[in-house]
Amino acid sequence: MTDAIRRHDPLVKGFASDNYAGVHPEILQAIALANEGHQTAYGDDVYTRALQDVFRRHFGPTAEAWPMFNGTGANVVALRAMTAPWEAVVCAESAHIHTDEGGAPERSAGLKLLTVATPDGKLTPELIDTQAWGFGDEHRAQPKVVSITQTTELGTLYTPEEIRAICDHAHQLGMLVHLDGARATNAAAALDVPLRAFTTDAGVDVLSFGGTKAGLMFGEAVVVLNPDAVRGLRYLRKTSMQLASKMRFVSVQFEALLAGDLWLRNARNANAMARLLADAVRDVPGVEVPRPVQANAVFAILPREVTERLQKRFRFYTWNEATGEVRWMTAFDTTEADVNAFAAAVAEEIRSCM
Ligand SMILES: Cc1ncc(COP(=O)(O)O)c(C=O)c1O
C-alpha cells in the first residue's frame, strides 16, 4: 500500500514526445525484481556486470556500456571522453546537443560545437568538410569528433551505408564519430537491421544509447565501441554527475529492454503508429506533411488557429513558429485508437476553422 495518490488520468495521451509516455510494464517488473536486499553501489552490482554481456550481444565483443541517468548527460560524458580541451565537435545545426541541451556541451564540457546547416538533419562527408578544416592551426578549435543523431531530430534516418561513409571520411581526417542514439531502437526497427548494423559495423566509435524513449523509467548508456576513442570515462561520468549510486536499477531496466525483443516491439509499435497517423492526416485538406515519416515522428504544417485549438485537447509542440510546422511523436504505448482519435480531432478542428 502507498500513501501516494494518482494525480493524472492514465487514459490521456498526447503526441508531444516519446518521453511523455510512462514506463513499460516489463521494465517496472524488472525494477521490482532487482529490489530488496543490498547490492554494492556505484555499478559494482550483479545487474550492471551482467549488462555488459547483454550490450555485447548487440554491439559486439569489444562494446563497453556505461549506464547514465539521462541523454544530455550521456552525450556530454561521451563527448568529453572523446576530446581534448582544444578540440571541437562537428554536428548538424539541428542536433540535440546544439539545440536542446541548454548549452550543456559548452558549459559542462567546455566544448566548441561547429555546426552545419542541413536540409534534413543529416550530415554527409561533403557537409562535414564545411567545418572539418584548419587542422594544425592553433587559431581554430581542432575538429575531432563528428556527432550524428539516429534517428535525427527531424525524424529522418541514416542508412547504414550513409553512416559508414561518414565514419570512413571522419577517420581519414583523423576524427572520431559519436552517434546520439536517443532513438537508436526506432532506427533499427525502421531499417529492419540489427542495432550494430549502423553503429559497430558502420565504424561508429562511441554511442549514446537511448533507454528512456524506448520504454525505460530513466536511463541511457554510453556504449564505447572503439576503446581507443575515449579517455577517462570512469572519472568523467562521476564529475559530470552521471554516476548513479543505485545503478542496479538503471542496469536492470536495460537488461529487460535488450535481453529479449522488448526494444524491438516497442520501437516497431511507435514507428507503426507514426505511419498510421501520417496516412490518416496526409489527405486532410489544410494539412501538409512536409517531411518523410521514417520512424516515430510526424511533422505537419497546419493553420495556426487549428494548432491552437488542437493543443487545448492534445499535447504537442510547435516546431517552427515561423512556418506553423508542428511535431507529433508516437511512443511505445501509442495505440491505433489514440491515433484515430487524434486524426479525427485534426480533421474536426480544420473543418471548424474553414
Ligand atoms: C536526439 C536526442 N538526444 C538526446 C536526448 C536526451 O535528452 P534528455 O537529457 O532529456 O534525456 C533527446 C531527448 O529529447 C533527444 O531527442
Side-chain angles (χ1 to χ4, degrees):
M1 277 300 283
T2 174
D3 289 330
I5 298 166
R6 179 173 258 171
R7 297 177 192 276
H8 77 290
D9 178 351
L11 297 178
V12 171
K13 292 195 205 142
F15 293 83
S17 183
D18 30 12
N19 58 16
Y20 276 49
V23 183
H24 192 281
E26 290 174 40
I27 302 286
L28 278 179
Q29 268 173 25
I31 293 173
L33 187 90
N35 200 21
E36 299 188 357
H38 288 199
Q39 275 289 300
T40 310
Y42 299 114
D44 196 11
D45 62 84
V46 289
Y47 294 98
T48 305
R49 266 181 262 138
L51 191 63
Q52 297 307 321
D53 278 341
V54 175
F55 270 95
R56 284 182 181 148
R57 264 184 265 145
H58 286 282
F59 294 101
T62 61
E64 242 187 38
W66 298 80
M68 309 271 160
F69 281 120
N70 60 30
T72 300
N75 285 338
V76 167
V77 172
L79 294 175
R80 279 182 87 187
M82 295 173 83
T83 51
W86 55 88
E87 290 174 336
V89 176
V90 176
C91 64
E93 223 168 46
S94 52
H96 198 266
I97 54 172
H98 178 55
T99 60
D100 272 316
E101 298 188 354
E106 291 92 335
R107 287 172 186 278
S108 311
L111 274 170
K112 172 86 176 158
L113 298 182
L114 300 170
T115 61
V116 182
T118 69
D120 54 4
K122 289 166 63 173
L123 290 178
T124 61
E126 295 70 32
L127 287 172
I128 289 164
D129 282 345
T130 64
Q131 286 288 18
W133 53 270
F135 297 100
D137 176 356
E138 75 222 60
H139 299 283
R140 186 152 208 270
Q142 293 293 288
K144 184 62 189 181
V145 176
V146 173
S147 181
I148 57 175
T149 311
Q150 172 84 318
T151 60
T152 74
E153 293 75 3
L154 297 177
T156 48
L157 268 177
Y158 288 94
T159 63
E161 294 72 31
E162 287 169 331
I163 295 184
R164 162 57 67 194
I166 287 171
C167 293
D168 286 349
H169 189 65
H171 293 156
Q172 273 161 20
L173 293 170
M175 296 177 70
L176 300 167
V177 177
H178 165 255
L179 188 144
D180 178 348
R183 298 189 178 89
T185 58
N186 297 95
L191 291 163
D192 198 19
V193 297
L195 287 159
R196 62 176 293 158
F198 58 88
T199 53
T200 320
D201 296 347
V204 169
D205 295 288
V206 181
L207 161 74
S208 299
F209 183 74
T212 312
K213 294 175 170 72
L216 269 54
M217 180 180 290
F218 64 90
E220 315 277 303
V222 171
V223 188
V224 177
L225 303 170
N226 168 12
D228 296 331
V230 292
R231 267 185 324 167
L233 219 153
R234 172 179 303 284
Y235 309 104
L236 292 169
R237 177 172 59 174
K238 176 65 178 178
T239 57
S240 302
M241 294 159 283
Q242 288 290 317
L243 180 64
S245 62
K246 291 189 181 176
M247 199 183 293
R248 66 171 135 154
F249 297 106
V250 184
S251 301
V252 78
Q253 291 182 75
F254 272 120
E255 184 177 352
L257 186 73
L258 292 173
D261 66 351
L262 180 60
W263 66 276
L264 191 56
R265 282 184 275 135
N266 283 355
R268 278 187 179 148
N269 181 72
N271 294 352
M273 291 305 106
R275 277 196 307 276
L276 188 69
L277 176 56
D279 291 345
V281 298
R282 202 185 300 279
D283 297 329
V284 175
V287 180
E288 187 194 340
V289 178
R291 301 178 194 277
V293 177
Q294 296 187 319
N296 67 325
V298 179
F299 289 81
I301 298 178
L302 305 171
R304 220 167 297 272
E305 200 188 335
V306 173
T307 298
E308 281 163 18
R309 292 170 69 113
L310 266 176
Q311 281 174 330
K312 293 198 176 97
R313 300 169 61 183
F314 295 87
R315 297 295 301 270
F316 64 88
Y317 291 109
T318 299
W319 188 255
N320 184 334
E321 291 289 348
T323 59
E325 187 171 5
V326 300
R327 187 191 74 168
W328 298 326
M329 302 282 321
T330 51
F332 74 85
D333 65 345
T334 307
T335 63
E336 284 189 27
D338 297 328
V339 169
N340 292 338
F342 184 61
V346 172
E348 197 180 299
E349 295 301 352
I350 293 241
R351 270 197 308 275
S352 64
C353 289
M354 289 278 191

